[in-house]
Amino acid sequence: MKDQGRSTRKRTGGRLRPAHDKKRHQLGREAAETTVGEPRFQYIDARGTDEKVRALSTNVAQVSVDGETVSAEIENVVENPANVNYVRRNIITKGAIIETSEGRARVTSRPGQTGLVNAVAVDE
């Protein structure tokens, strides 16, 4: 787990002594890094009574084309501004450009947080 708390050093380099222990809500998790492939999901306990669904891999996207929403097959990742290495690894994140059966689309959802891929068709 990754700590999402404050730094242990001051701007000057001096040490900051913690006023309290880390709380459970300050602990993060490794990124889901959703890939293109056979659908696999992970259910994670979230804060309160919520539950998060993480898409570990998926091959289906809900693509909005001219106001109509259609279910499309994901073929591969064409471009990903989050990380250039995500393209060759076929990792889907929000903002990624994916090639679908309906054409190219930009991902508008966060698959690692919601468990599904929503996208908007882009013109070329």
Side-chain angles (χ1 to χ4, degrees):
M1 288 189 163
K2 293 198 172 185
D3 178 33
Q4 303 291 315
R6 73 187 274 187
S7 173
T8 58
R9 294 283 173 180
K10 293 194 278 188
R11 188 171 51 90
T12 57
R15 184 171 168 212
L16 276 172
R17 295 188 180 262
H20 55 78
D21 291 333
K22 294 171 191 155
K23 303 286 190 266
R24 182 175 177 264
H25 71 267
Q26 289 177 315
L27 292 174
R29 291 187 173 93
E30 293 294 325
E33 294 191 341
T34 306
T35 57
V36 177
E38 195 62 35
R40 289 189 313 123
F41 301 98
Q42 183 180 35
Y43 295 89
I44 290 176
D45 183 37
R47 196 159 186 196
T49 58
D50 289 341
E51 191 176 62
K52 283 186 183 180
V53 181
R54 289 210 161 159
L56 301 178
S57 65
T58 185
N59 57 4
V60 178
Q62 305 302 319
V63 181
S64 178
V65 183
D66 298 328
E68 295 275 324
T69 304
V70 292
S71 187
E73 186 98 6
I74 301 172
E75 292 162 12
N76 64 343
V77 178
V78 178
E79 184 185 331
N80 197 326
N83 190 331
V84 291
N85 294 318
Y86 283 0
V87 177
R88 65 181 175 80
R89 292 169 59 195
N90 264 353
I91 293 177
I92 306 166
T93 59
K94 182 177 178 179
I97 307 294
I98 55 175
E99 187 70 47
T100 67
S101 55
E102 296 291 321
R104 289 192 177 188
R106 182 174 38 83
V107 179
T108 57
S109 66
R110 297 173 68 193
Q113 302 283 333
T114 60
L116 51 97
V117 178
N118 292 333
V120 176
V122 291
D123 298 325
E124 300 230 24

